[in-house]
Amino acid sequence: MPVTPGIHRLFGCLAVLALVIVPVPAAAHAAGPAAVAFAAVPAAVPAAVPAAAPVDIVLPGTRVTVREDSKDALRVTSYSFGKMTYLRRGAGFTRQTAYQEITVAPKGKKALAVPTSYQSGYDSVVLLDLATSKGTRIRTVRKPLVAHYAHWNRNGGKAVLTVERKSGSAWVTSGFVVVDAVAKTARTVTVANVDKAARFRWSSDGADVVAEHSGGTRFYGQDGAIRRTLAKTGRPAGGEDAFTPSGRGLMTWCPSSYTEHVCVWDRTSGKLAAKVPGIKPKALWGWWDEKHFIAVIPASGHYQVVLSTLKGKTTRVLAAFSAADWSSKLYLGYTRK
């Protein structure tokens, strides 16, 4: 079975159309060691992106402390932790027992959830209206294929998921599914000669989808046709969106021949725009603004989610958590307001 960061796919016959919610106060946390407090986190460098009047939130079911400011352009709207998935509802978070993955669209009005089981021999997604808490189930691929790793385009009109098939003991990519949130339909596209590790997400203009290909980045039309290939960029990186807000920069994990770990490429010319020195992230969770990205880094026995500049300087700490939390495949989904 494929394992998503923070997600374990379960196969069964349970079918659920609406949100299954176990309310948990935002301040609650799992029994055991206390949440990593910001008092124990080394102070960040004076922020180029200020955080006035921050509020600390301990995420339910974890020992993760998230620090937020009401002026922030992004905030955590969902997260996964081990076999548990949570969705932000009002001031707190609710556990979603029917879903293995939830991704909230930009502006936060809707979300796409991947159920934990097949229904009538098909994998599916549930399109959630977050104002009414109503869901519409949409079939994606037939068993034994799976479709997950949902990514929204920037206007929230469509989402793309990566399709995988079993090959021996491993799961490999075979194509993608485009979900139309307006028409409430899904279309599966098989991609010839696709990279086995490809994970599809949208180009910044929403016209194409992009994925890793042979150590570079390949742009595909929504029909699966190859549009463009940027060779030797390393694989695309960055949470919900690999492109800067302007769409000009593409973030990747640098090619193995580089000393640096994070690279930024000019989307138009394909030329290297920046190699970020001095930072060795465990994960990259997207762009904050044109000059800052979200990275997970180790810090004195625990981990921090930080804003980093393209010079590798930390300007702010967004979250802190223990090594045990990270080992449980923690993933925080940041959504632009």
Side-chain angles (χ1 to χ4, degrees):
M1 294 184 289
V3 178
T4 309
I7 299 166
H8 298 259
R9 172 171 285 277
L10 307 175
F11 295 111
C13 60
L14 180 65
V16 181
L17 285 177
L19 281 82
V20 177
I21 296 175
V22 180
V24 187
H29 57 82
V36 177
F38 274 85
V41 178
V45 175
V49 183
V55 175
D56 288 353
I57 301 172
V58 179
L59 301 182
T62 77
R63 292 154 293 188
V64 179
T65 302
V66 173
R67 175 161 288 182
E68 294 186 339
D69 188 303
S70 60
K71 298 178 182 178
D72 289 342
L74 291 84
R75 68 172 185 169
V76 177
T77 55
S78 65
Y79 63 94
S80 51
F81 180 75
K83 296 182 179 181
M84 299 181 291
T85 300
Y86 290 81
L87 175 66
R88 191 167 200 146
R89 304 298 287 152
F93 292 84
T94 55
R95 184 178 173 186
Q96 309 296 303
T97 59
Y99 307 126
Q100 59 158 301
E101 173 188 340
I102 296 178
T103 307
V104 177
K107 307 299 183 183
K109 294 183 178 180
K110 53 183 172 284
L112 202 68
V114 179
T116 58
S117 60
Y118 289 115
Q119 182 189 35
S120 302
Y122 283 86
D123 207 355
S124 61
V125 294
V126 177
L127 180 63
L128 304 171
D129 183 322
L130 298 183
T132 64
S133 295
K134 293 181 179 179
T136 301
R137 186 183 287 266
I138 305 168
R139 283 182 172 181
T140 54
V141 293
R142 187 187 291 272
K143 185 179 181 179
L145 297 176
V146 296
H148 55 171
Y149 306 123
H151 290 270
W152 287 96
N153 65 2
R154 292 186 173 184
N155 67 16
K158 292 182 179 181
V160 64
L161 297 93
T162 298
V163 177
E164 293 183 325
R165 60 177 176 82
K166 196 72 174 290
S167 177
S169 59
W171 288 85
V172 297
T173 297
S174 61
F176 58 88
V177 170
V178 174
V179 175
D180 188 318
V182 178
K184 298 182 179 179
T185 59
R187 180 170 51 86
T188 301
V189 179
T190 300
V191 179
N193 301 314
V194 66
D195 196 296
K196 293 180 179 180
R199 176 172 171 175
F200 290 92
R201 63 188 80 212
W202 292 98
S203 60
S204 54
D205 60 5
D208 300 325
V209 294
V210 299
E212 174 185 2
H213 182 78
S214 298
T217 302
R218 177 161 282 180
F219 291 67
Y220 297 87
Q222 294 181 44
D223 59 356
I226 299 170
R227 301 294 191 209
R228 185 185 183 199
T229 302
L230 303 180
K232 299 180 180 180
T233 61
R235 56 191 172 93
E240 307 307 319
D241 197 339
F243 293 89
T244 58
S246 71
R248 291 191 295 269
L250 166 66
M251 180 162 58
T252 70
W253 294 100
C254 292
S256 59
S257 59
Y258 289 26
T259 301
E260 297 82 4
H261 291 69
V262 183
C263 284
V264 181
W265 305 81
D266 184 285
R267 176 182 59 83
T268 302
S269 68
K271 294 181 179 180
L272 181 65
K275 293 187 291 184
V276 183
I279 184 171
K280 298 180 179 180
K282 293 293 185 180
L284 296 169
W285 285 350
W287 289 94
W288 189 265
D289 57 27
E290 206 69 16
K291 297 181 179 181
H292 298 80
F293 59 89
I294 305 170
V296 179
I297 61 172
S300 302
H302 64 281
Y303 288 83
Q304 296 175 348
V305 182
V306 302
L307 290 186
S308 173
T309 69
L310 297 181
K311 299 295 185 181
K313 302 297 183 183
T314 294
T315 62
R316 181 174 164 193
V317 178
L318 299 175
F321 47 88
S322 69
D325 287 282
W326 183 245
S327 296
S328 294
K329 301 184 184 298
L330 175 72
Y331 177 75
L332 305 184
Y334 281 86
T335 301
R336 198 166 295 277
K337 296 178 181 178

